Amino acid sequence: MSQLLETSQQALVLLFTGDPALWSIVSISFSVSLRAILIATPLAFLVAFLLAYTRFPGRRVLISTFNTLLALPAVVVGLTIYMLLSRNGPFGDLKLLFTQTGMVIGQIVLCFPLLVAFSHATLQAADQRAWETAVTLGARPWQAMLTLMYEVRYGLIAAVTAAFGRIIAEVGSSMMIGGNILNYTRNITTAIALETSKGEFAQGIALGIILLLAALLLNFTLTFMQAKVGAVP
Amino acid sequence: MSVFLQFNKLRKSINGGQLLFDIDEFTVPESTCIVLSGRNGAGKTTLLKILAGLDAPDRAEILCDGEALPWKLARARLRQQVVYLHQQPYMFDKTVAENVAYGLRHAGLTRAQVAERVEQALDWARLSKLATRNARQLSGGEQQRVALTRARVLSPRLLLLDEPLANMDINSRGQTIELIRRFKSEGVSTIVTSHEPHISTMIGDEHRHLCKTGPCRYTIVKPFLFQRKLQQSPGLSEPPHQPEPRKAHEEPRAEEENKSRVDQSDAIMTGYTAKPAQQVTAVILAGGLARRMSGQDKGLMRINGRPLIEHIIAALKPQVSAILINANRNLDQYRRYDYPVIEDIMGDFFGPLVGMASGMQACSTDYLLTVPCDSPFIPPVLAERLFRELVNEDADISVAHDSTRMQPVFALLRKGLLPSLMTYLQDGGRKIDTWYAEHSLARTDFSDWPDAFININTPQEREHVEEKMMKANKGDRS
């Protein structure tokens, strides 16, 4: 017990003294996850829109597939992409294994189904009249699509927030694809795993607090957005 | 007047594959306001959405300004030139001004041009004060006006209004009607759907009814009553203007040949049995003052030795299950016929509508047949033919028509219309044609019974009738 208190104290010191090693790890985490989200979101919204507003064969199968992939374990993604990117793998020539780009790819794969499933549900529940009104007022289909997304923006932001929460906190794929290289691919979660195995708990706890704060912030945003969604008639 | 849009052989079925409607021809002339009525589920909204390019028909031949276009091209044009307004308009989650600007922003105008037009339009609709409010926070009536303004700035050729007056208070209604009228004066065609066809008398140039003419088959018919010409000449004393003969009317002969088949399908379709006799009560309207007959009670006037009402009873008896006599004078003499005699339920000789209301209140069947007491040559097929047309057209009222004009007192009405009639009477309405205009109407052709509507208003006419009756009787004997 006394050890836990002691390390927590050290962790707070690390946090408030601005330990450069610690903040480098934090910035890698956020930079990788933000890039993944920024790349995945537009594409996921487009897919979700097509699933909600067009009819094509295989649409239902695709929806079920995305819903199933919500439960995709991060280590399975890590393993699969590791195999694809490793020297002997089909994309080995790209030399993306143990790079931040590789981690971004892993996180895109992880958050994409979640983004699609959540935003599809949002767009599906959107007022049909919004689309019809936009179209009858002369908007082209893509313009009407953007209008529709604006109308349900709170639901879509909630989807993005949830997706970001998932990838900032995942450890499996970052560890396997990134390789936990200091100042390059070591992010919050992989650092915690490493420090814990070394018995250096202070840094681990400090990073954990940051992760927890991030999760708290995201959840507040999410709750706020959900209240907004409920308020919009 | 040139035609903006024409849809031929327009067919639409709903998801399960069930046919919703199949319309031979639907034209939209320029600068015309069409009121489209029809029961719930008749496909009014779907028809409007097809006209707006928002829903696809199963098939249709589309002419846009006389140019035949395949659906994809027609759809693009419809989306540019036609604006559809939902029953409850959708407001974008933006300010009123931004809502009004929505269509313009996609029309390739500069920001300044958009702003200028929006300002003008808001002024036009007296919405300037609300310009910066979020449109979702407005009342229903205000939203309706925003929606109309948002459509108007685009200068559409055709505006489709889905039940624009439903769920609105009287004030908002007035403002909405006013805006619709202004559209008309600006040369924009409008199609307005409504459950309350009387709005057609306020704004419509033409009334069309989406109705059943066969199992699951809906077509557009144009009830003649609502033509503008008629509205301009009050009453029914002048022959109504009939622009196009209605198709359904050219078919009765074929229908008669296949009568059993048609009757059967009617029964399946609507649950009504084909024979009207058990469901119809007749009321003889003998409550008038007969001013031109120097006050003589017409029903009791002797024709060839028998009171006129006896001739009428004899003609009606085989056709209906019960007979009522509506009279306000000489009640004892009318009671001799062993049929219930009912007096007007309100007023002081207020005319035939009150007689109809009294009949509806007293009758125990679902349908009421009304006949005047001064037309002795009632056709033996009166009830049956009116009834068949009522069922075919899925109408509320079936009215007899000779080839030139409607005969509003020869009618078959649903008993359920009583509340509507009472409201109308209590509001001071007395005219048959305006009340009829509030309901879906089936026009039943009796042009093959030329004597059916001969009535006696003057002593000379009485002599003429007596002569005619003698001749007919002689003809029977020889």
Side-chain angles (χ1 to χ4, degrees), chain B residues 300 302 307 310 331-339 341:
Chain B
L300 300 171
R302 286 186 177 267
E310 287 192 26
L331 300 176
D332 285 333
Q333 292 182 59
Y334 280 118
R335 288 201 183 102
R336 286 184 316 199
Y337 297 104
D338 278 334
Y339 292 108
V341 175

Side-chain angles (χ1 to χ4, degrees), chain B residues 82-199:
Chain B
V82 180
V83 175
Y84 170 80
L85 260 75
H86 292 91
Q87 179 171 353
Q88 285 173 328
Y90 182 84
M91 292 289 114
F92 296 118
D93 189 7
K94 295 175 177 180
T95 66
V96 170
E98 283 168 329
N99 264 279
V100 173
Y102 185 86
L104 292 173
R105 286 199 291 111
H106 298 129
L109 296 170
T110 66
R111 254 168 211 279
Q113 283 170 320
V114 171
E116 192 192 325
R117 291 209 198 170
V118 167
E119 200 177 318
Q120 282 171 1
L122 289 173
D123 200 43
W124 174 83
R126 292 187 215 102
L127 285 166
S128 303
K129 278 182 192 164
L130 301 173
T132 54
R133 288 265 300 277
N134 184 305
R136 295 227 174 136
Q137 288 160 1
L138 305 183
S139 73
E142 288 166 340
Q143 291 193 350
Q144 181 77 256
R145 271 154 66 209
V146 173
L148 281 164
T149 313
R150 189 169 64 182
R152 182 184 173 272
V153 289
L154 298 172
S155 316
R157 304 266 306 269
L158 171 64
L159 189 66
L160 307 171
L161 302 163
D162 203 351
E163 298 275 353
L165 303 174
N167 315 319
M168 271 207 169
D169 62 41
I170 288 181
N171 248 337
S172 309
R173 263 173 186 247
Q175 284 168 334
T176 304
I177 288 173
E178 172 61 28
L179 290 183
I180 295 172
R181 281 200 184 125
R182 281 205 251 164
F183 271 109
K184 211 162 79 180
S185 68
E186 286 166 13
V188 181
S189 289
T190 42
I191 300 180
V192 179
T193 66
S194 181
H195 281 110
E196 307 157 78
H198 69 258
I199 73 153

Side-chain angles (χ1 to χ4, degrees), chain B residues 35 181 197-204 226 231 433-434 437-438:
Chain B
V35 172
R181 281 200 184 125
H198 69 258
I199 73 153
S200 64
T201 57
M202 289 187 266
I203 54 173
F226 304 100
Q231 288 164 27
D433 52 339
T434 32
E438 295 183 16

Side-chain angles (χ1 to χ4, degrees), chain B residues 457-468:
Chain B
N457 285 312
T458 61
Q460 291 77 26
E461 283 174 349
R462 174 188 164 186
E463 275 170 35
H464 175 73
V465 164
E466 281 192 324
E467 240 176 72
K468 217 175 176 86

Side-chain angles (χ1 to χ4, degrees), chain A residues 126-148 150-154 231-233, chain B residues 49 52-54 78-80 82-94 99 102-106 136 147 150-151 154:
Chain A
D127 195 328
Q128 176 85 29
R129 296 174 306 158
W131 168 260
E132 289 175 346
T133 303
V135 168
T136 198
L137 292 173
R140 304 198 168 279
W142 65 269
Q143 292 166 328
M145 178 185 79
L146 293 181
T147 300
L148 186 73
Y150 176 80
E151 294 296 304
V152 298
R153 58 194 176 279
Y154 297 116
V232 172
Chain B
K49 285 190 177 171
L54 296 175
L78 292 172
R79 286 178 174 184
Q80 293 302 318
V82 180
V83 175
Y84 170 80
L85 260 75
H86 292 91
Q87 179 171 353
Q88 285 173 328
Y90 182 84
M91 292 289 114
F92 296 118
D93 189 7
K94 295 175 177 180
N99 264 279
Y102 185 86
L104 292 173
R105 286 199 291 111
H106 298 129
R136 295 227 174 136
R150 189 169 64 182
L154 298 172

Side-chain angles (χ1 to χ4, degrees), chain B residues 36-48:
Chain B
L36 181 67
S37 62
R39 311 209 145 215
N40 285 335
K44 299 191 292 290
T45 297
T46 308
L47 177 58
L48 291 194

